[in-house]
Amino acid sequence: MIVLAMKRESVSRLVLVTSHGSGTSKHQLDWSTWAAINVNQIKYLCGGSGPGGCVCWSVLAQYTAQEQVVVNGSIPQDIVAPSSEQSHLEWTIIRPGFLTDDHATGTYLASDQHVFGGSIACADVVDCAIKALEDDMDIGKWFSVAYSARVS
């Protein structure tokens, strides 16, 4: 809906914040990290009653679908690497590590390489998003963002 409204109103610039482990970074998560990200959503959707009979869609799958809508205009069957030529949007995707409520430090790592682990304050994610909006060199790119992490 947002992408359609942006097109209708001739708004083309979008910074999307998803999560480490979504899109092309999905293979960078080990099982325990995936579970930590998704277990609270599973409990919420099941009403705390357990997995019997409940259907849930991984939060990472939802983020991946959002990325694909922004990049391609549709949700493909298979996840492909982003290309800004496939969409009318001038997009940047930010994939933070674990979010914290700490104060901003301004000392985070923003890398177009896959980042393993790490945490980051919400305030620093906002700082990164603002910088991405101000820099046309970031159009059509995705960034993993965290304080301390290992880059592949």
Side-chain angles (χ1 to χ4, degrees):
M1 302 284 285
I2 291 172
V3 172
L4 294 175
M6 289 178 69
K7 188 171 188 174
R8 183 180 63 242
E9 299 299 324
S10 299
V11 176
S12 61
R13 188 69 174 107
L14 176 68
V15 174
L16 176 66
V17 178
T18 59
S19 174
H20 174 65
S22 61
T24 56
S25 71
K26 70 180 181 178
H27 299 294
Q28 306 303 319
L29 292 180
D30 59 25
W31 185 89
S32 62
T33 304
W34 181 92
I37 292 171
N38 287 288
V39 73
N40 287 333
Q41 182 190 24
I42 292 167
K43 286 180 182 176
Y44 172 77
L45 291 173
C46 294
S49 62
C54 77
V55 176
C56 84
W57 191 24
S58 158
V59 67
L60 294 176
Q62 293 176 44
Y63 284 146
T64 297
Q66 289 174 349
E67 290 184 9
Q68 294 306 309
V69 168
V70 168
V71 173
N72 300 323
S74 64
I75 303 172
Q77 294 296 324
D78 198 18
I79 305 304
V80 295
S83 168
S84 61
E85 298 174 357
Q86 298 171 339
S87 171
H88 74 280
L89 296 175
E90 296 174 350
W91 55 265
T92 301
I93 296 173
I94 298 174
R95 296 176 178 154
F98 286 104
L99 298 174
T100 70
D101 290 330
D102 297 334
H103 294 287
T105 67
T107 60
Y108 53 85
L109 168 68
S111 174
D112 62 354
Q113 302 298 309
H114 292 297
V115 173
F116 295 83
S119 64
I120 186 166
C122 294
D124 276 327
V125 175
V126 171
D127 180 68
C128 184
I130 291 169
K131 287 178 180 174
L133 279 172
E134 295 172 343
D135 189 348
D136 288 345
M137 290 179 20
D138 293 336
I139 293 173
K141 296 181 181 177
W142 57 264
F143 295 93
S144 293
V145 184
Y147 291 132
S148 60
R150 184 169 48 98
V151 179
S152 67

